[in-house]
């Protein structure tokens, strides 16, 4: 078996010191891009009023984002595979920045729509590359902690970035929020290019490259990928309709709903904090165990919506699981993938998760309209249980492939 098809075993001596400063820069990149991705949702009333359109059309700016990411992530990742990953990360941030500033000056809704599509292209490339790039800076024993730090920027964006951007827009204008985020990204792109190390994929000779179908890391990657799609489906099937659930099913007043969502976000930060050590100490079981926590939380929300204490605890567990799940599944992918499939695996999980987001948002609306929002929680529990089974299967396959490597 050649090195091009073997499961990746990251070298223990390639990074003797934990590359904290580099990972913090990448985490900051995740923070600003996820914040910018969510801006139309947080600024919907202001944007709709200023651009003279119905708020639902602003919602389409979120939908088109997912569609563009799905369509472009994999082909653009393959096209940039031989380019220094530092340059790809910096360039994607720079394009994202310019698109955000352009949105800030959008004279019409159609112009804003086009600039958001451009930003989505850059975002898809950034997310597909940033995990692989971070992995290349880490030794094997550091992988879980390192990827938890990088992906933690996304959780911080939800808890801190979007609320701060929304507050800034309310004090000034939605255009100021877009402009500030764009300028911040442009500065970050320059720092990434100047300060981070090179990372170039060494090409494998045609004579040493086995057919893709014989790549022993492919089966576990497929299992993890389908699990990622199911997780996105379940997560957004439930979370998009969390406010109707709290109001109609749990009978919780709007004022308290905001406090509970803060609990959800704060618990997510705790999940990020513990995910790294879990991934490094329990590489085969941490992801599956976390998904079982999801199952328990969704089941409790479905079974006892009127028990306020149960709802609060379940939301906290769900939030913690959400924070931990992203670094755990990315770590599982990077450990399982062969050298030739790492970029493709990282891009594919972004695409599959976005497919799940689109499907979950639509299916959740149908379920809520027909059976009420409590049904969403019950269906999400069943879907995540299936995802947990797939991750356990994928981990077993990855372990066997690593043991069989020569």
């Amino acid at each position: 078996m050649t090195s091009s098809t073997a499961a990746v075993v990251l070298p223990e001596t390639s990074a003797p010191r934990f590359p904290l400063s580099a990972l913090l820069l990448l985490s900051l990149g995740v923070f600003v891009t996820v914040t910018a991705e969510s801006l139309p949702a947080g600024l919907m009333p202001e944007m709709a009023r200023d651009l003279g359109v119905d708020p639902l059309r602003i919602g389409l700016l979120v939908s088109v984002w997912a569609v563009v990411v799905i369509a472009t992530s994999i082909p653009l990742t393959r096209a940039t595979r031989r380019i220094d990953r530092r340059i790809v990360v910096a360039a994607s941030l720079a394009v994202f920045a310019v698109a955000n500033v352009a949105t800030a000056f959008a004279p019409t809704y159609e112009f804003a729509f086009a600039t958001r599509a451009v930003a989505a292209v850059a975002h898809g490339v950034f997310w597909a590359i940033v995990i692989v790039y971070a992995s290349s800076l880490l030794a094997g024993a550091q992988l879980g902690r390192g990827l938890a730090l990088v992906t933690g920027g996304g959780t911080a964006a939800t808890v801190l970035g979007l609320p701060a951007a929304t507050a800034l827009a309310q004090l000034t204008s939605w255009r100021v929020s877009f402009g500030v985020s764009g300028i911040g990204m442009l500065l970050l792109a320059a720092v990434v290019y100047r300060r981070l190390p090179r990372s170039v994929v060494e090409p494998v000779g045609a004579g040493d490259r086995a057919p893709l179908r014989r790549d022993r890391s492919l089966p576990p990657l497929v299992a993890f990928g389908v699990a990622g799609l199911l997780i996105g489906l379940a997560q957004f099937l439930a979370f998009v309709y969390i406010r109707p659930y709290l109001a109609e099913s749990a009978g919780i007043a709007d004022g308290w709903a905001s406090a509970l969502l803060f609990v959800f976000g704060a618990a997510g930060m705790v999940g990020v904090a513990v995910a790294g050590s879990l991934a490094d100490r329990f590489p085969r079981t941490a992801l599956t165990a976390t998904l079982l926590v999801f199952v328990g939380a969704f089941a409790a929300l479905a079974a006892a919506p009127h028990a306020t204490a149960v709802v609060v605890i379940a939301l906290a567990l769900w939030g913690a699981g959400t924070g931990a799940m992203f670094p755990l599944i990315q770590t599982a992918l990077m450990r399982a993938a062969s050298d030739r499939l790492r970029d493709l695996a990282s891009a594919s999980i972004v695409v599959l998760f976005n497919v799940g987001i689109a499907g979950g948002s639509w299916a959740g609306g149908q379920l809520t309209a027909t059976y009420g929002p409590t049904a969403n929680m019950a269906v999400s529990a069943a879907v995540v249980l299936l995802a947990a089974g797939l991750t356990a299967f994928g981990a077993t396959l990855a372990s066997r492939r690593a043991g069989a490597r020569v």
Side-chain angles (χ1 to χ4, degrees):
M1 183 67 63
T2 67
S3 61
S4 64
T5 60
V8 168
V9 178
L10 296 170
E12 298 298 329
T13 59
S14 62
R17 296 177 60 185
F18 189 71
L20 180 61
S21 60
L23 296 178
L24 284 174
L25 279 176
L26 295 177
S27 183
L28 184 58
V30 171
F31 174 83
V32 295
T33 56
V34 172
T35 299
E37 174 189 10
S38 308
L39 282 178
L43 308 180
M44 185 177 290
E46 294 84 358
M47 293 183 70
R49 186 167 53 251
D50 191 18
L51 295 173
V53 297
D54 188 276
L56 292 179
R57 295 190 70 189
I58 302 299
L60 286 177
L61 297 181
V62 178
S63 301
V64 72
W65 190 282
V67 172
V68 172
V69 168
I70 291 168
T72 62
S73 292
I74 291 177
L76 287 178
T77 299
R78 292 178 65 87
T80 58
R81 176 173 170 78
R82 302 302 180 196
I83 302 174
D84 181 357
R85 289 168 179 148
R86 174 199 54 168
I87 294 176
V88 176
V89 169
S92 61
L93 285 172
V95 172
F96 204 143
V98 172
N100 250 34
V101 172
T103 303
F105 288 96
T108 64
Y109 170 80
E110 290 74 18
F111 188 93
F113 190 97
T115 60
R116 291 297 288 175
V118 173
V121 172
H123 183 72
V125 176
F126 173 82
W127 259 105
I129 294 297
V130 70
I131 298 300
V132 181
Y133 182 32
S135 300
S136 72
L137 304 177
L138 294 161
Q142 301 170 340
L143 190 62
R145 284 185 298 140
L147 295 190
L149 178 57
V150 173
T151 57
T155 304
T158 302
V159 177
L160 301 173
L162 184 58
T166 302
L168 178 62
Q170 291 171 346
L171 290 172
T172 56
S173 163
W174 68 268
R175 297 179 184 274
V176 173
S177 290
F178 272 93
V180 168
S181 67
I183 293 170
M185 274 185 234
L186 195 58
L187 293 173
L188 181 61
V191 175
V192 165
Y193 180 74
R194 291 181 60 86
R195 298 291 300 273
L196 293 189
R198 285 169 48 83
S199 175
V200 180
V201 177
E202 294 296 333
V204 178
D208 296 327
R209 189 184 301 124
L212 183 61
R213 67 180 181 275
R214 292 178 54 191
D215 192 308
R216 296 175 67 86
S217 70
L218 191 59
L221 292 179
V222 170
F224 288 131
V226 176
L229 187 154
L230 293 175
I231 293 166
L233 178 71
Q235 181 80 344
F236 280 77
L237 192 152
F239 189 73
V240 170
Y241 302 94
I242 186 63
R243 291 297 294 272
Y245 170 86
L246 293 175
E248 300 172 22
S249 301
I252 294 173
D254 284 344
W256 285 107
S258 298
L260 288 179
L261 291 177
F262 177 80
V263 169
F264 179 93
M269 294 299 293
V270 175
V272 170
V274 302
S277 60
L278 289 176
D280 289 333
R281 292 186 63 187
F282 310 103
R284 286 188 57 186
T285 59
L287 176 58
T288 301
T290 298
L291 293 180
L292 292 177
V293 171
F294 267 89
V295 174
F298 284 136
L301 291 169
H306 299 297
T308 302
V310 173
V311 170
V312 172
I313 293 171
L315 279 174
L317 290 174
W318 179 12
T322 298
M325 181 269 298
F326 289 104
L328 288 175
I329 196 166
Q330 293 284 9
T331 302
L333 282 170
M334 293 300 101
R335 290 192 191 280
S338 64
D339 291 331
R340 69 189 297 193
L341 288 180
R342 296 183 94 193
D343 288 1
L344 182 60
S346 185
S348 296
I349 198 67
V350 173
V351 169
L352 290 168
F353 197 80
N354 274 276
V355 170
I357 289 172
S361 300
W362 176 84
Q366 305 306 306
L367 275 173
T368 296
T370 306
Y371 301 106
T374 304
N376 295 38
M377 302 300 173
V379 173
S380 289
V383 172
V384 176
L385 184 61
L386 179 57
L390 283 170
T391 60
F393 180 60
T396 299
L397 289 177
S399 178
R400 289 176 181 173
R401 299 301 182 260
R405 192 174 67 93
V406 295

